[in-house]
Amino acid sequence: MPTSDEPPLYVDLDGTLIATDLLHESFLSALARSPWVAVQSLGWLMSGRPRLKEELALRSGIDVAALPYREPVLAFLREERARGRRIVLATASWGALADRVAAHLGLFDEVLATGPDANLKGEAKASRLEAHCGGAGFDYVGDSRADFPVWLRSRYAYVVDSGGSIRGSMPPGVEVRRVFGPAARPGGHPVAR
């Protein structure tokens, strides 16, 4: 049960919590099971991104324990959780997959995700988070330009910037509290985590 006076911390999944995208992973997993998925995906996409995400999630066999989690982000979330902060996974990934990731990690108080009626990305995500916290303010951890509308409404931005380009193009007025950059491999070469 959250005990902190801090506003909720919303955390993106694709590219932020993990160094991949669950839609991509779902497609590859489903394609490995049936080559027809390539053709079917076009039809599902014509019905909208939520339908595509749902169908691929139903046909994939993703092992959420084996996903490439970004350890610095996980360590930060563990620290915030230990301080009693409310943490919500807020993702454009399909809800059932997001729920599995959340259950595996045990760090989230709630999950907000794409469902049949809405693709939780960009402006749709920004509006949903603002409504979810009752306009009381929130912080957000994200990684891409699609997160700009969310950061514009947040108190603080926490940025996963593996390529080094997001922070430099942040919209005016966004206060960046922390940047999670690429980690270093042995030998000094950066690797995104």
Side-chain angles (χ1 to χ4, degrees):
M1 177 123 198
T3 57
S4 173
D5 290 334
E6 289 284 317
L9 178 65
Y10 293 95
V11 183
D12 184 38
L13 177 56
D14 301 312
T16 300
L17 188 61
I18 59 174
T20 188
D21 184 294
L22 283 184
L23 179 59
H24 180 254
E25 296 295 326
S26 296
F27 177 77
L28 292 177
S29 175
L31 185 64
R33 291 176 167 202
S34 170
W36 287 106
V37 165
V39 175
Q40 291 172 306
S41 291
L42 296 173
W44 298 328
L45 183 57
M46 290 176 62
S47 295
R49 287 186 80 79
R51 172 82 189 277
L52 174 66
K53 290 176 180 184
E54 177 183 25
E55 295 293 345
L56 290 174
L58 288 170
R59 289 163 174 76
S60 68
I62 294 174
D63 176 4
V64 297
L67 290 170
Y69 292 95
R70 294 185 188 273
E71 193 52 46
V73 175
L74 289 177
F76 169 66
L77 297 180
R78 288 183 194 110
E79 290 168 10
E80 293 299 296
R81 184 111 176 126
R83 291 179 42 224
R85 190 155 191 200
R86 180 171 176 73
I87 303 175
V88 179
L89 184 60
T91 177
S93 288
W94 187 249
L97 289 177
D99 288 340
R100 288 175 45 209
V101 168
H104 169 67
L105 294 174
L107 292 170
F108 301 99
D109 296 292
E110 193 173 348
V111 176
L112 302 176
T114 292
D117 299 326
N119 187 32
L120 202 64
K121 186 173 183 176
E123 188 59 42
K125 182 186 279 189
S127 296
R128 177 85 183 274
L129 299 191
E130 198 167 53
H132 187 263
C133 71
F138 64 90
D139 295 342
Y140 181 72
V141 186
D143 73 296
S144 73
R145 293 179 191 280
D147 295 318
F148 285 176
V150 182
W151 280 320
L152 283 166
R153 296 188 192 186
S154 70
R155 179 184 70 156
Y156 297 130
Y158 293 84
V159 182
V160 174
D161 195 6
S162 297
S165 65
I166 295 300
R167 184 168 187 201
S169 60
M170 193 66 73
V174 174
E175 187 172 341
V176 177
R177 188 62 156 216
R178 183 170 176 180
V179 176
F180 301 92
R185 279 189 183 144
H189 301 294
V191 58
R193 291 192 178 206

